[in-house]
Structures are given as structure tokens and as C-alpha cells.
């Protein structure tokens, strides 16, 4: 094993960023044209890590579209974040359905 002076987590991040760059160079689809629906606690309205949020719908009846807990935003980030922590499909169209209020979920 080589000793590079970096931690395992830093190496994982570097490998992931290298893989994302390789996907871009090889023109591998990163979600372009793919529609993803997320049924959760919503999506943070002010979060800057998402390119295409095509739809936001509140199914809870409280009229709030913001994710007060962060769980729905975390799930969306795993899928489609395009800054800092990259998701698996940053070019995907996100359709966010808020189906849980802040009081219905415990984190």
C-alpha cells in the first residue's frame, strides 16, 4: 500500500472526483433525460446543489415546500447534487413530492 499522507476518506473523495471527471471525458450519461421522483420531506428551497428541479409538490396539506428536516434534501443530493458532493445523476430532472411534514418524521 502506498503512503500518500492522506486519509481513507480523502482518498475515497479523490477517487470519486476522478471517476466523475472520467464520466465527463467519456461522455457517459449522468442522468440527462432521466426523470427522478423523490417522495420524502421535500427539498430545501435555498439549496444551491441542484441543476434541474422540474417540479415541487406539497402533498401534506400544510402548504410548505421547504424541507425543514433535511432528509429529502439529503436523498436528492445522493441522486442529483452537482456541487461539492456529487450525486450519481447530476443532470437528472428532479420531481420533488413532499409527503411528510417535519412533525411526521424523526431523524
Amino acid at each position: 500500500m502506498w503512503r500518500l499522507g492522506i486519509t481513507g476518506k480523502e482518498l475515497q473523495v479523490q477517487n470519486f472526483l476522478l471517476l466523475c471527471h472520467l464520466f465527463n471525458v467519456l461522455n457517459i450519461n449522468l442522468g440527462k433525460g432521466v426523470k427522478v421522483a423523490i417522495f420524502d420531506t421535500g427539498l430545501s428551497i435555498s439549496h444551491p446543489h441542484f441543476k434541474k428541479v422540474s417540479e415541487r409538490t406539497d402533498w401534506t396539506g400544510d402548504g410548505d415546500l421547504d424541507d425543514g428536516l433535511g432528509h429529502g434534501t439529503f436523498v436528492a443530493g445522493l441522486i442529483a447534487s452537482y456541487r461539492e458532493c456529487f450525486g450519481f445523476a447530476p443532470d437528472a430532472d428532479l420531481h420533488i413530492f413532499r409527503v411528510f411534514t417535519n412533525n411526521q418524521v424523526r431523524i
Side-chain angles (χ1 to χ4, degrees), residues 3 7-8 10 17 19 22 24 26-27 31-33 37 40-43 46 49 61 70-71 85 89-90 92 101 107:
R3 298 253 175 203
T7 67
E10 290 169 334
L17 293 175
L19 183 62
L22 181 62
N24 285 330
L26 296 176
N27 199 22
K32 187 173 183 176
D40 208 307
T41 56
L43 179 71
S46 61
H49 288 201
H71 189 271
C85 291
T101 66
I107 296 185

Side-chain angles (χ1 to χ4, degrees), residues 2 6 11 14 16 26 29 32 36 39 56-57 59 67 69-70 76 80 84 92-94 97-98 100:
W2 293 352
I6 57 176
L11 186 58
Q14 287 180 356
F16 183 72
L26 296 176
N29 187 347
K32 187 173 183 176
V36 177
F39 295 83
R56 286 177 192 257
T57 305
W59 288 12
D67 181 6
L69 297 174
E84 295 173 29
D93 297 325
L94 290 179
F97 299 94
R98 186 170 186 259
F100 300 111

Side-chain angles (χ1 to χ4, degrees), residues 15-27 30 86:
N15 287 341
F16 183 72
L17 293 175
L18 180 62
L19 183 62
C20 287
H21 178 68
L22 181 62
F23 277 20
N24 285 330
V25 169
L26 296 176
N27 199 22
L30 295 175
F86 295 97

